């Protein structure tokens, strides 16, 4: 509790503390006598969740709801109690978290699974903070998974990998996504996990040494240009490395992975990012063909902003360098949660009450999240959601599910070909047919939000069809088709 209050003090004003203390006292009573499987008192879990939320600099209502999040489901409290003691918003957040918790995310059939995922989206749309609290809850449960039975470990890890980690990614919470995946990895693929930790240890170490040498040179040259920067090495998450190694073109060959450890350069302003890029390219030659990715000029759909470049570092080794501002960095790590913080910081003199109203202000950068936010106004309860799937209200983005329940957001007017390239660029070329909601459809079929799209693939690699250029709307698909056609000529 002390740790929590100390963290909060760094970004919220003291008048907010009373509700936190009150929530804690309430939780202690509601969970009286309960223990976690680890043997610790139950409130240790609640404090851990609130601490995670404070690390993400979430608002005071989320923190209180974090302390209270299990008080209905596992504790002795009712929704009425919470309403009376803590008011409308906190009790709504807690019952939202309770509801999301009751959604069984792995259905016995694909249909059930997809349906459950849709319910999750509903819960999100009612208030995104519900999902963020749920993510903090899941993160702590994953950190303490060793106390559960083997059967539960596998089930919870799979759910984490298939639902929560992608969700965190969608919300731009890259750090959370990485940690969730790494926590699930050893439970789901124990042999590969052991293999990879052994196989990669020396390579990580070697890469780190290279990075340190590059870092010193870069810092010196940045200083010569009067740029104050923080330069850090960032280690690639193990599971993310694992997925990369499984790609056919890499085929488990670690020497083909250049971003095992990347350099991350943090500066004050976007302009300085570009100056820093120039400095780096003067210091180390950029790798031709791989090129730079400017996600500041063109952010990723989840809001990610950064400049990535690959250069020949000391001893000619390829290293990846990421350049971004401190604010972009916070966003890349904590995503939507960081938006809350920055939007709150910018509007001056926030009282506790006003915090309730600053909810969706920061979302303009996250297009699909923003649409969910607008959309929630039209949908009052989950029943209506399931029945009508009013995804169509979001006119310019659509959400398409794979049969396994992965969701891709695409521009309106997207066809199965767009979808196929969105799932995997190499898959696109091999598309030979498509089913939507179980029925065969032509390639010019316009997908609708909520559609489940299954792509039929040729077994052998194929060239794309030039007619497809007329059928696609995404830039990704156009580019990949043109690439495939050029290769043919
Ligand atoms: Mn919990």
């Amino acid at each position: 509790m002390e740790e929590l209050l100390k963290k909060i003090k760094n970004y919220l004003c003291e008048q907010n503390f009373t509700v936190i203390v009150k929530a804690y006292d309430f939780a202690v009573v509601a969970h009286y006598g309960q223990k976690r499987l680890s043997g610790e008192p139950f409130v240790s879990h609640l404090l851990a969740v609130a601490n995670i939320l404070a690390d993400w600099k979430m608002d005071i209502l989320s923190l209180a709801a974090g302390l209270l999040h299990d008080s209905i489901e596992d504790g002795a409290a009712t929704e009425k109690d919470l309403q009376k003691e803590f008011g409308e918003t906190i009790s709504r957040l807690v019952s939202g978290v309770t509801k999301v918790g009751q959604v069984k995310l792995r259905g016995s059939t694909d249909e059930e699974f997809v349906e459950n995922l849709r319910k999750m989206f509903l819960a999100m749309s009612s208030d995104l903070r519900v999902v963020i609290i749920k993510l903090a809850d899941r993160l702590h449960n994953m950190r303490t998974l060793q106390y559960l039975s083997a059967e539960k470990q596998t089930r919870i890890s799979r759910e984490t990998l298939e639902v929560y980690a992608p969700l965190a990614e969608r919300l731009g919470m890259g750090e959370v996504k990485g940690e969730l995946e790494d926590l699930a990895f050893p439970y789901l693929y124990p042999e590969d996990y052991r293999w990879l930790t052994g196989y990669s240890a020396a390579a990580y170490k070697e890469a780190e040494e290279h990075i340190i040498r590059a870092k010193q040179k870069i810092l010196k040259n940045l200083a010569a240009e009067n740029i104050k920067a923080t330069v850090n090495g960032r280690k690639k998450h193990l599971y993310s490395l694992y997925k990369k190694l499984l790609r056919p073109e890499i085929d488990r060959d670690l020497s083909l992975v250049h971003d095992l450890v990347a350099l991350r350069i943090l500066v004050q302003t976007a302009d300085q990012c570009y100056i820093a890029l120039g400095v780096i390219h003067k210091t180390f030659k950029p790798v031709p063909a791989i090129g730079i990715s400017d996600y500041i000029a063109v952010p990723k759909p989840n809001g990610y902003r950064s400049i990535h470049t690959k250069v020949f570092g000391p001893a000619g080794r390829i290293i990846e360098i990421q350049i971004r501002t401190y604010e972009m960095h916070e966003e890349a790590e904590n995503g939507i949660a960081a938006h809350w913080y920055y939007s709150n910081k910018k509007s001056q003199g926030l009282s506790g009450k006003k915090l309730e109203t600053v909810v969706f202000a920061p979302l303009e950068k996250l297009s699909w999240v923003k649409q969910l936010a607008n959309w929630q106004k039209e949908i009052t309860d989950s029943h209506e959601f399931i029945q009508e799937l009013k995804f169509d209200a979001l006119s310019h983005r659509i959400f398409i599910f794979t049969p396994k329940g992965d969701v891709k957001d695409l521009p309106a007017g997207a066809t199965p070909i767009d979808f196929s390239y969105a799932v995997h660029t190499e898959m696109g070329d091999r598309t030979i047919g498509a089913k939507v909601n179980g029925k065969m459809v032509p390639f010019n079929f316009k997908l609708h939000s909520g559609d489940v799209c299954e792509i039929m693939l040729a077994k052998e690699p194929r060239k794309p069809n030039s007619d497809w250029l007329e059928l696609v709307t995404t830039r990704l698909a156009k580019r990949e088709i043109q690439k495939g056609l050029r290769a043919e000529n």
Side-chain angles (χ1 to χ4, degrees):
M1 188 62 180
E2 259 168 52
E3 191 189 339
L4 178 63
L5 292 176
K6 214 169 104 192
K7 276 183 201 167
I8 304 174
K9 214 182 248 170
N10 284 329
Y11 71 99
L12 293 172
C13 47
E14 303 230 4
Q15 73 187 75
N16 288 308
F17 286 20
T18 43
V19 64
I20 294 297
V21 175
K22 187 177 171 191
Y24 175 75
D25 290 342
F26 185 94
V28 169
V29 175
H31 295 280
Y32 181 75
Q34 287 181 350
K35 277 192 164 46
R36 295 272 286 175
L37 285 172
S38 62
E40 286 186 285
F42 197 90
V43 284
S44 66
H45 168 62
L46 307 171
L47 280 171
V49 169
N51 266 289
I52 292 170
L53 291 166
D55 289 335
W56 298 343
K57 301 196 175 72
M58 289 300 293
D59 67 284
I60 200 76
L61 301 173
S62 305
L63 296 173
L67 288 168
L68 298 166
H69 81 272
D70 280 324
S71 64
I72 297 178
E73 196 170 17
D74 300 317
T78 66
E79 207 177 325
K80 268 213 171 108
D81 297 335
L82 290 177
Q83 243 167 31
K84 199 171 130 246
E85 297 296 323
F86 297 99
E88 198 53 48
T89 309
I90 291 177
S91 84
R92 188 169 45 73
L93 289 174
V94 173
S95 57
V97 175
T98 309
K99 278 189 204 119
V100 185
Q102 282 158 351
V103 175
K104 273 231 173 306
L105 282 166
R106 278 197 67 77
S108 50
T109 64
D110 283 346
E111 289 81 45
E112 269 177 39
F113 179 65
V114 170
E115 201 56 41
N116 288 334
L117 201 68
R118 286 175 177 159
K119 287 186 201 161
M120 186 82 171
F121 272 89
L122 168 81
M124 282 182 58
S125 68
S126 79
D127 190 323
L128 279 163
R129 288 177 293 185
V130 167
V131 177
I132 293 173
I133 297 165
K134 194 64 205 164
L135 280 172
D137 180 38
R138 175 54 58 114
L139 191 56
H140 184 246
N141 286 337
M142 285 302 294
R143 285 175 184 168
T144 51
L145 203 58
Q146 68 268 34
Y147 302 106
L148 270 57
S149 68
E151 185 266 324
K152 275 193 171 164
Q153 286 172 341
T154 316
R155 184 180 61 75
I156 294 172
S157 294
R158 174 146 294 126
E159 192 180 86
T160 298
L161 214 54
E162 290 179 354
V163 181
Y164 287 94
L167 197 60
E169 184 176 29
R170 285 270 132 180
L171 295 175
M173 304 171 83
E175 203 35 51
V176 180
K177 174 206 168 236
E179 187 180 349
L180 285 173
E181 286 182 340
D182 280 0
L183 287 165
F185 188 17
Y187 294 106
L188 288 179
Y189 309 105
E191 271 171 40
D192 277 359
Y193 175 79
R194 272 194 298 276
W195 163 73
L196 186 57
T197 40
Y199 177 50
S200 62
Y204 268 116
K205 197 164 165 265
E206 201 204 345
E208 254 171 356
E209 283 158 11
H210 274 274
I211 288 293
I212 290 167
R213 283 165 61 195
K215 173 181 165 174
Q216 284 154 351
K217 257 192 146 165
I218 287 172
L219 269 176
K220 205 178 109 206
N221 293 350
L222 284 172
E225 297 287 329
N226 275 325
I227 293 186
K228 254 200 183 157
T230 308
V231 181
N232 289 317
R234 86 98 184 83
K235 266 180 147 173
K236 193 175 186 66
H237 279 281
L238 200 66
Y239 185 74
S240 149
L241 171 64
Y242 176 61
K243 275 194 300 189
K244 195 160 192 174
L245 287 170
L246 293 187
R247 285 197 212 154
E249 73 271 22
I250 306 246
D251 197 22
R252 297 195 176 225
D253 183 352
L254 207 49
S255 70
L256 296 175
V257 178
H258 303 305
D259 60 347
L260 209 52
V261 180
L263 261 187
R264 192 171 276 161
I265 297 176
L266 305 180
V267 292
Q268 292 295 341
T269 65
D271 285 347
Q272 287 182 345
C273 291
Y274 292 99
I275 300 172
L277 179 68
V279 171
I280 285 154
H281 284 178
K282 262 193 271 173
T283 314
F284 298 115
K285 278 207 164 41
V287 179
I290 305 181
I292 42 174
S293 307
D294 186 350
Y295 300 117
I296 294 179
V298 186
K300 286 190 183 181
N302 68 0
Y304 179 81
R305 289 180 301 157
S306 202
I307 299 173
H308 292 189
T309 182
K310 288 201 171 83
V311 299
F312 292 105
R317 256 184 76 134
I318 296 177
I319 52 178
E320 185 178 297
I321 297 179
Q322 305 171 350
I323 310 161
R324 51 176 86 145
T325 65
Y326 291 97
E327 183 175 342
M328 290 172 194
H329 179 61
E330 179 102 16
E331 283 178 13
E333 303 260 295
N334 296 330
I336 189 84
H339 285 277
W340 254 288
Y341 173 60
Y342 277 103
S343 72
N344 285 348
K345 219 169 76 163
K346 276 167 194 158
S347 44
Q348 355 89 9
L350 279 181
S351 68
K353 185 169 163 268
K354 216 176 159 198
L355 272 173
E356 297 202 24
T357 60
V358 205
V359 177
F360 288 113
L363 302 180
E364 65 277 356
K365 286 176 205 149
L366 301 170
S367 57
W368 74 280
V369 173
K370 183 187 166 202
Q371 280 139 12
L372 279 175
N374 289 334
W375 175 50
Q376 64 155 334
K377 292 179 198 131
E378 291 166 38
I379 292 177
T380 45
D381 64 15
S382 73
H383 188 67
E384 187 189 349
F385 168 73
I386 301 299
Q387 284 206 323
E388 300 194 6
L389 278 173
K390 276 197 181 169
F391 272 120
D392 291 334
L394 320 172
S395 57
H396 40 295
R397 289 309 277 188
I398 53 175
F399 299 86
I400 310 299
F401 293 84
T402 72
K404 284 192 176 149
D406 288 333
V407 60
K408 297 280 162 198
D409 65 313
L410 294 168
T415 61
I417 305 274
D418 284 302
F419 179 70
S420 187
Y421 280 102
V423 174
H424 201 294
T425 50
E426 278 140 40
M427 187 169 135
D429 291 351
R430 290 196 289 132
T431 309
I432 50 173
K435 278 186 186 174
V436 169
N437 304 327
K439 288 202 190 86
M440 288 296 297
V441 295
F443 283 159
N444 63 1
F445 183 85
K446 299 259 186 282
L447 294 165
H448 293 96
S449 263
D451 279 346
V452 178
C453 184
E454 185 184 347
I455 299 293
M456 260 69 66
L457 296 175
K459 288 213 171 58
E460 299 300 318
R462 281 196 165 210
K463 302 288 178 199
N465 186 326
S466 59
D467 296 343
W468 290 357
L469 284 171
E470 304 298 317
L471 300 177
V472 298
T473 52
T474 53
R475 283 202 314 192
L476 171 82
K478 268 207 179 98
R479 194 182 67 212
E480 288 300 316
I481 293 167
Q482 279 159 349
K483 212 160 94 185
L485 292 173
R486 272 200 305 275
E488 188 179 24
N489 297 333

